[in-house]
Amino acid sequence: MRQSVYFLSLLFILFSLSGCEDLFEYHPYDLRFSDSHKNTNQKNIDKLAATDTTARDSFKFAFMGDTQRCYYETELFVKAINSRKDISFVIHGGDLTDFGMKKEFLWMKDRLDKLNVPYMSLVGNHDILGQGKDLFQNIFGSCNFSFTYNRTHFVCLNTNALEFDYSVPIPDFSFIKQKAADSTQIDQTIVAMHVPPGDIEFNNNVIDVFHYYLRQNKNLLFCAHAHTHNLMKRDYFNDGILYYGADNIEDRNYLVFTVYKNSYKYEVVYF
Amino acid sequence: MKWSIFKYALIVLLLLIIGTYAKAERTSLELSQERRSKWEKLIPDYHKLQYAGSMGFLSMGTGWAYGKHNNWETEILFGFVPRYRTEDISLTVTLKQNYIPFHLDLDKKRPGKWVLAPLTGSIYFNKIFGEHFWTELPERYPEKYYVLATNLRFNISVGQSITYQLSPNKYAKKSISFFYEVCTNDCYMIEAIQDRTIGLKEILSLSLGIKIDMY
C-alpha cells in the first residue's frame, strides 16, 4: 500500500513538472526572463515602420484592452484579427495583467505575439502593481511612447496617476509638449491612454490642463481609452474631440478605427 | 525594505541556530532522558536551506518538528531575490507548515539509516519587502480598489524527501535530508481556475533543499 502511494505520488509530481516553462521560480515579481522578451513595443513599432512605405488614403487599426486573466478570449481576438487582412496594427489599451506578475505579462505577450500585425501596448493600472511597472518597462518599454503611421501621430500616455500617489508627473506634460512640438512629418494626431479623464485613477486636478495640452498636438482627431470595461463614447470637454472607450476583452469585442486625412470612422466588432 | 527589520530577524535566527547547537550538546551528554523543560522545546529542531520555491533565490531558516512521529513541522525562512534589472535585491520572509504523513525505512537491516518521506505537503505564506509592495491597501485608494495584497502570497506545495542519519546513537539523532517540492500560489490558482488555457504546467514550479536535523 505504502509503496504504491510512493510511486503514484512520484509519478504525479514528475508528470506535472514535465514541460514546466519556468522550472525554478524565485518570486512571482522577479525580473528574471530572457532578453528576447525585452522592448516589445519598440520592436513592433520598427516592424510597423517597415510597412509604412507608401502613402495611402486611409488605414485601419484595432483598439482593445483590459485582457487581464482572459487568455482564452485574447486568443480568440488574435484569431479574429489574423483572419482579416485590413487591419494595419493593434493598440492594446493596457491592463495586460491583473496582479502585475511576471508570468501574467509573459502569458499575455505569448498570445499577442501570435498577431500577424504589429501591436503596441499601453500600461494599465493593474500592470503597475507590485514590481509590475519595472516588468512592463522591461518587457514592453516606456510608459509614455509615440509612433507614426501614414503621417498620423499616435501618442500613447500613462494616465494611471493614483498608482503613483501623484508623486510622479502623470500625465507627463513635458512628454506631451515635446511630442506636440515635433509635427513636421505628420498631418494629424490620435491619443491613446488607459484611464480616461474624470476616472478616480486619473489626476483630475489637471483635467483641463491635460486636454489643453492634448489640443496642442497637430490636428487632434480623437482619443481612445480602456479601463472602464464598457464601450464608451463621450465628448468630455464639449469641443468635438471624442473619447472612445474600449470594452474589456472578456466581452468579446474590439474597436476598429478607419483613419482618413482629417477624418475617421469607428465601428465595434464582436467575435 | 527596511534593513533594520531584517537585521533583527537575522539576529533572532542566529540565536536560534546557536541554541540548537547548545541543545545537541546537552542531548549528547545524556540529558535527553530527562524530561525536557518547556523552555527547551522552544529551541529549534532543524535548519533548512531551500533553493527557489517562489520565496527567493535562496532561503535559510529554522524550524520545529512535533507530533507522534514528527509528522508536523513549522518553520521560518529568510530569503532574497537577487538584482534582475532592478536596483536592489529584495528580501523575503516565509512562514511554512509541513505535514509528512508517513516515513519509509529504506534499509531494513539498519532501521533509521535511510528514511524516505514519500509524500510531504506544505502551505506557506511568503512576504516580500520593497517600496512597491503593500499588505493593506494604501490610503490613497478607495475601499476594495484592489483585493489581494501584493507582497503576501499564499503558497501550497507537495514533495518528497530522503533522510540519511549521520551518527545514529541512543541519544542524538543528527541527520541530513534532501528534498524537493512542487509549488504554486493563490494568484496562479485563480488564473488557472478562471482561464481554460492556463493549466497545471504553467503554474507549477520546482524547488530543492537541504535540511539538517539537530535533534
Side-chain angles (χ1 to χ4, degrees):
Chain A
M1 156 63 194
R2 278 189 169 181
Q3 304 283 2
S4 60
V5 168
Y6 157 58
F7 281 116
L8 278 179
S9 56
L10 181 73
L11 273 178
F12 168 74
I13 289 166
L14 291 179
F15 176 75
S16 354
L17 274 178
S18 60
C20 263
E21 40 191 36
D22 196 4
L23 193 57
F24 293 101
E25 183 179 72
Y26 297 169
H27 195 273
Y29 284 109
D30 71 35
L31 277 83
R32 195 170 63 107
F33 49 81
S34 145
D35 273 344
S36 65
H37 293 306
K38 289 194 77 180
N39 297 324
T40 305
N41 279 347
Q42 193 53 50
K43 283 177 194 164
N44 277 281
I45 289 170
D46 293 345
K47 248 199 290 186
L48 182 65
T51 67
D52 189 18
T53 44
T54 48
R56 49 195 101 191
D57 297 336
S58 72
F59 67 91
K60 286 182 183 197
F61 74 94
F63 185 81
M64 43 69 103
D66 298 279
T67 57
Q68 67 255 61
R69 288 204 275 124
C70 294
Y71 307 96
Y72 175 66
E73 288 80 1
T74 304
E75 284 180 6
L76 295 181
F77 166 78
V78 169
K79 272 186 200 148
I81 295 293
N82 285 348
S83 70
R84 51 192 290 177
K85 301 288 165 236
D86 56 342
I87 301 287
S88 297
F89 60 92
V90 173
I91 298 181
H92 188 303
D95 274 0
L96 299 137
T97 72
D98 206 19
F99 310 110
M101 296 186 303
K102 177 180 72 179
K103 273 187 196 286
E104 290 185 287
F105 277 111
L106 296 181
W107 287 336
M108 195 48 77
K109 180 179 173 290
D110 277 351
R111 282 152 180 90
L112 294 170
D113 278 349
K114 297 211 165 65
L115 281 165
N116 290 339
V117 292
Y119 73 96
M120 280 63 73
S121 181
L122 282 85
V123 67
N125 54 312
H126 284 264
D127 299 326
I128 294 161
L129 287 173
Q131 202 83 22
K133 191 196 80 181
D134 292 328
L135 283 161
F136 180 90
Q137 286 179 332
N138 275 281
I139 298 172
F140 286 93
S142 305
C143 294
N144 294 305
F145 63 95
S146 73
F147 60 93
T148 305
Y149 185 73
N150 204 38
R151 292 185 66 83
T152 304
H153 198 199
F154 288 83
V155 179
C156 302
L157 300 174
N158 174 14
T159 50
N160 312 294
L162 186 62
E163 296 312 309
F164 299 89
D165 205 10
Y166 310 115
S167 63
V168 179
I170 294 167
D172 187 344
F173 294 128
S174 59
F175 176 84
I176 300 172
K177 217 165 116 180
Q178 180 205 331
K179 290 298 157 190
D182 182 22
S183 64
T184 46
Q185 301 295 316
I186 60 162
D187 297 329
Q188 52 202 7
T189 307
I190 292 167
V191 174
M193 65 197 82
H194 179 66
V195 173
D199 190 277
I200 190 153
E201 180 81 31
F202 198 86
N203 185 355
N204 292 310
N205 188 37
V206 296
I207 194 164
D208 293 319
V209 188
F210 172 70
H211 196 65
Y212 170 80
Y213 269 85
L214 291 192
R215 296 292 309 257
Q216 303 312 302
N217 281 286
K218 188 171 183 179
N219 193 10
L220 177 63
L221 290 183
F222 65 92
C223 299
H225 68 83
H227 186 65
T228 47
H229 289 220
N230 265 314
L231 284 166
M232 289 180 114
K233 181 184 173 184
R234 285 182 305 178
D235 188 353
Y236 206 91
F237 298 90
N238 297 315
D239 62 351
I241 301 297
L242 293 173
Y243 280 74
Y244 293 92
D247 212 340
N248 54 326
I249 208 74
E250 200 173 7
D251 291 346
R252 297 196 190 182
N253 65 70
Y254 58 93
L255 298 175
V256 173
F257 291 96
T258 311
V259 182
Y260 307 91
K261 194 170 178 184
N262 295 324
S263 70
Y264 67 94
K265 271 193 327 203
Y266 88 98
E267 57 177 323
V268 182
V269 182
Y270 289 83
F271 61 94
Chain B
M1 161 68 179
K2 312 273 174 294
W3 257 106
S4 54
I5 306 171
F6 203 74
K7 231 160 40 189
Y8 289 123
L10 278 181
I11 290 168
V12 171
L13 183 67
L14 205 66
L15 286 175
L16 288 172
I17 291 172
I18 294 166
T20 28
Y21 280 98
K23 183 157 79 173
E25 191 72 15
R26 285 197 65 190
T27 48
S28 67
L29 290 170
E30 306 191 14
L31 283 168
S32 69
Q33 279 175 332
E34 290 174 19
R35 197 167 156 271
R36 285 200 293 156
S37 77
K38 277 177 188 167
W39 287 108
E40 220 168 49
K41 281 184 186 164
L42 293 178
I43 299 171
D45 299 312
Y46 62 84
H47 307 307
K48 204 174 234 189
L49 189 69
Q50 192 163 348
Y51 167 67
S54 205
M55 53 180 162
F57 163 65
L58 271 182
S59 301
M60 198 176 88
T62 190
W64 295 263
Y66 49 95
K68 205 173 172 190
H69 303 287
N70 279 350
N71 295 121
W72 296 91
E73 290 173 356
T74 302
E75 61 202 30
I76 183 161
L77 302 154
F78 298 91
F80 72 98
V81 183
R83 281 185 202 95
Y84 290 105
R85 307 178 169 107
T86 51
E87 281 172 27
D88 291 310
I89 65 163
S90 302
L91 302 172
T92 76
V93 59
T94 304
L95 191 64
K96 192 157 177 261
Q97 179 66 42
N98 307 323
Y99 177 55
I100 306 114
F102 30 72
H103 297 93
L104 286 181
D105 242 324
L106 289 182
D107 191 343
K108 299 284 184 226
K109 285 175 196 157
R110 292 180 296 172
K113 191 72 184 169
W114 287 95
V115 177
L116 181 83
L119 183 66
T120 64
S122 309
I123 54 172
Y124 53 103
F125 285 96
N126 172 261
K127 185 171 180 169
I128 187 163
F129 297 93
E131 55 168 333
H132 306 297
F133 295 102
W134 41 259
T135 311
E136 271 184 45
L137 198 61
E139 264 177 43
R140 62 176 183 271
Y141 294 111
E143 248 180 84
K144 295 186 179 152
Y145 199 68
Y146 299 116
V147 184
L148 290 174
T150 52
N151 64 356
L152 202 62
R153 288 278 66 78
F154 172 72
N155 298 262
I156 59 168
S157 69
V158 289
Q160 296 186 310
S161 77
I162 187 160
T163 304
Y164 176 71
Q165 205 166 66
L166 292 171
S167 56
N169 63 58
K170 219 170 152 187
Y171 311 110
K173 216 172 87 178
K174 281 186 200 173
S175 62
I176 183 163
S177 311
F178 300 92
F179 66 91
Y180 73 90
E181 287 172 355
V182 178
C183 70
T184 189
N185 68 42
D186 48 356
C187 287
Y188 293 167
M189 285 188 280
I190 291 172
E191 306 262 353
I193 290 166
Q194 194 239 337
D195 190 89
R196 66 185 85 178
T197 68
I198 303 296
L200 265 188
K201 71 176 165 60
E202 276 86 15
I203 65 166
L204 294 179
S205 69
L206 182 66
S207 79
L208 305 171
I210 302 171
K211 181 184 135 197
I212 296 167
D213 271 277
M214 302 310 295
Y215 171 73

